[in-house]
Amino acid sequence: MLENREYEVAVCGGGFAGIAAALSAARAGAKVALFEKEYMLGGLGTAGLVTIYLPLCDGMGHQVSFGIAEELFRLSTKYGAEAMYPANWLDGVGNRDEKSSRFQVRYNAQVFAILAERLLLDAGVDILYGSYAVDTILEDGKISALITESKSGRCAYYVKSVIDATGDCDIAHFSGAPTSIHERGNSLAAWYYYTDENGYDLKQLGAADVPNPDPNTKFKELTSRRFSGLEARDISDFVTIGHEKLLADWLKRREENPEAVISTIATIPQFRMTRKLVGEYELTEEDNHKYFEDSVGMVANWRKRGPIYEVPFRALYSRSVKNLAVAGRCISSDEALWDIIRVIPCCAVEGEAVGLAAAMTDDFTTLDVAVLQSKLKQNGVVLHEKDLI
Ligand SMILES: Cc1cc2nc3c(=O)[nH]c(=O)nc-3n(C[C@H](O)[C@H](O)[C@H](O)COP(=O)(O)OP(=O)(O)OC[C@H]3O[C@@H](n4cnc5c(N)ncnc54)[C@H](O)[C@@H]3O)c2cc1C
């Protein structure tokens, strides 16, 4: 039987951004394909073992991210949390002020990946695993076909609109849209799960890309080398050096605790920031508490309590490729905000917005944003800080 090769919406990448985008587009009635090069959904949030769903709240008592961002949060805890269960938010026990725990959780990667897959299949999304998006064909400033490589060989899929949720802005890059790369490069990360007599736990091995000034931080630089995450040799070095450090870390643990075993290692490299879109608007840290007429949702700051950022639709596309929008850790922001806005809840907020938009148009530059906003509101998204209770 011939494979179907025509879709209204193609979502490239099945991390949290891609899951939200595909779900949102399918619920709006579009025929959606999700192309994922791996064999599970969730991206860094599952295969990458980054299993902390950072806050949906501002840390001052206000929930700021809603809609699919909250739905995926609740899905991640459907059969229980691994740690950091926010009873004050989920069960209404205790306070939600600046002293209480934030609306965040640690979830089980494998359970979430399976539940997310079922959610998308039930919504009618065609999931194509093992499918690497490698190129695009452009006609009149729009992507007319997406080229993938998989067990089926090299295939062209004819599409009306495309969401780049690859995390690395691959599709924008292939299509000639303006992008920029992470100047400083990524520090080595090798998070892994281990099991000992106390059960299993997550070891967050490696420093954050923005170094923690606290000399006692548990997040220590594993090597002085920085990695771009955009070139095969560099990525392979990141993985192999990471494995070496991980093994050394576990052997040290085993000296003190002979029961300790490694339970899971990441199957995709743990790059935080690689390449991002230069969109119609570049979101910055100064946009904290700023009103945007074209806001499509809000996100908080996981590093500190207080800030709230409205996400303008213009940060999610570029005029140069009219039917391409981005979501996730590759949206248009400056270097300083990138580290704040790349995290899971933000990816889901942006994914919901562009997925819905893609179901409405094949030209993001002319979309009536007011109509998009009204549909997002109907789906439970709060767009502006002034509308928070
Ligand atoms: C070490 C580390 C610690 C972190 N800590 C946290 C944390 O505690 N909490 C938090 O919320 N966030 C954290 N983050 C950030 C967060 O995990 C990611 O930014 C977020 O999950 C990104 O989601 P995404 O959907 O944009 O991209 P990704 O999760 O990267 O997903 C992209 C998906 O696209 C697929 N893909 C890529 N290219 C292609 C292609 N060309 N064709 C087809 N498929 C493709 C990939 O396989 C992947 O599944 C951390 C990140 C790292 C690396």
Side-chain angles (χ1 to χ4, degrees):
M1 198 175 83
L2 268 182
E3 204 185 327
N4 181 1
R5 299 255 169 88
E6 276 182 37
Y7 290 95
E8 283 165 310
V9 178
V11 177
C12 301
F16 274 76
I19 293 169
L23 186 61
S24 179
R27 282 181 177 162
K31 189 174 170 204
V32 183
L34 188 154
F35 299 93
E36 168 54 55
K37 68 178 171 61
E38 305 295 326
Y39 294 87
M40 72 194 290
L41 295 181
L44 278 167
T46 57
L49 300 184
V50 173
T51 49
I52 302 167
Y53 205 124
L54 282 171
L56 298 174
C57 74
D58 67 348
M60 310 297 284
H62 312 107
Q63 181 178 346
V64 301
S65 303
F66 297 84
I68 290 178
E70 182 180 344
E71 183 179 347
L72 296 182
F73 187 104
R74 290 182 183 276
L75 190 71
S76 79
T77 55
K78 183 169 177 190
Y79 297 109
E82 279 191 348
M84 303 159 74
Y85 182 79
N88 57 334
W89 290 97
L90 291 178
D91 305 334
V93 178
N95 292 328
R96 295 176 176 183
D97 59 17
E98 74 276 13
K99 292 186 189 67
S100 57
S101 45
R102 294 185 74 175
F103 199 164
Q104 60 185 0
V105 76
R106 207 180 93 203
Y107 57 90
N108 182 276
Q110 289 73 25
V111 172
F112 178 80
I114 296 169
L115 293 178
E117 179 183 272
R118 179 47 48 200
L119 185 69
L120 293 199
L121 293 175
D122 289 347
V125 175
D126 250 353
I127 302 174
L128 287 148
Y129 283 130
S131 296
Y132 216 125
V134 293
D135 208 350
T136 56
I137 296 173
L138 284 123
E139 281 170 42
D140 301 326
K142 289 183 183 170
I143 297 171
S144 57
L146 181 74
I147 310 297
T148 67
E149 285 179 359
S150 67
K151 273 285 181 193
S152 310
R154 191 163 245 255
C155 305
Y157 291 88
Y158 298 94
V159 295
K160 285 195 177 145
S161 55
V162 181
I163 306 300
D164 187 341
T166 61
D168 300 322
C169 226
D170 283 2
I171 313 305
H173 173 67
F174 298 145
S175 308
T179 57
S180 66
I181 59 169
H182 183 29
E183 286 157 13
R184 193 209 288 264
N186 288 263
S187 61
L188 190 65
W191 290 23
Y192 71 99
Y193 273 84
Y194 66 91
T195 308
D196 62 16
E197 77 249 18
N198 301 315
Y200 74 103
D201 208 351
L202 174 65
K203 175 70 192 259
Q204 296 164 272
L205 188 64
D209 288 356
V210 179
N212 189 332
D214 176 1
N216 300 318
T217 177
K218 63 175 179 173
F219 299 104
K220 300 243 164 52
E221 291 270 357
L222 297 172
T223 154
S224 55
R225 182 170 162 187
R226 292 269 170 164
F227 301 82
S228 75
L230 292 172
E231 188 265 315
R233 171 54 53 210
D234 166 275
I235 296 170
S236 300
D237 286 353
F238 182 95
V239 171
T240 55
I241 299 169
H243 286 164
E244 192 189 330
K245 301 284 180 193
L246 186 160
L247 186 71
D249 187 78
W250 167 67
L251 287 173
K252 201 163 146 233
R253 176 180 300 278
R254 211 174 64 142
E255 276 170 22
E256 290 149 27
N257 185 347
E259 304 278 296
V261 292
I262 299 171
S263 354
T264 324
I265 63 170
T267 51
I268 58 173
Q270 295 164 346
F271 290 110
R272 292 179 171 89
M273 295 169 280
T274 54
R275 179 166 50 210
K276 60 180 163 59
L277 185 75
V278 178
E280 294 306 293
Y281 186 84
E282 192 176 73
L283 206 57
T284 73
E285 241 182 319
E286 285 71 54
D287 291 329
N288 177 20
H289 298 302
K290 188 162 167 183
Y291 175 87
F292 284 106
E293 185 79 37
D294 62 337
S295 171
V296 287
M298 283 175 288
V299 297
N301 184 326
W302 62 275
R303 285 182 168 270
K304 59 180 177 212
R305 294 172 183 262
I308 297 177
Y309 301 92
E310 296 190 2
V311 179
F313 187 54
R314 285 162 299 151
L316 308 180
Y317 67 87
S318 134
R319 194 156 292 281
S320 55
V321 185
K322 294 183 170 54
N323 63 343
L324 175 68
V326 302
R329 60 187 171 88
C330 54
I331 75 156
S332 180
S333 71
D334 70 355
E335 280 279 311
L337 193 70
W338 198 355
D339 189 53
I340 294 161
I341 205 141
R342 70 187 162 84
V343 298
I344 290 172
C346 313
C347 297
V349 166
E350 300 143 12
E352 175 165 14
V354 292
L356 183 53
M360 293 166 61
T361 186
D362 65 355
D363 185 346
F364 295 108
T365 66
T366 58
L367 176 71
D368 186 341
V369 179
V371 179
L372 171 67
Q373 289 172 315
S374 124
K375 289 180 190 244
L376 286 168
K377 269 162 74 177
Q378 279 167 30
N379 294 343
V381 175
V382 181
L383 302 171
H384 300 291
E385 189 175 346
K386 68 178 175 57
D387 299 326
L388 289 175
I389 304 161

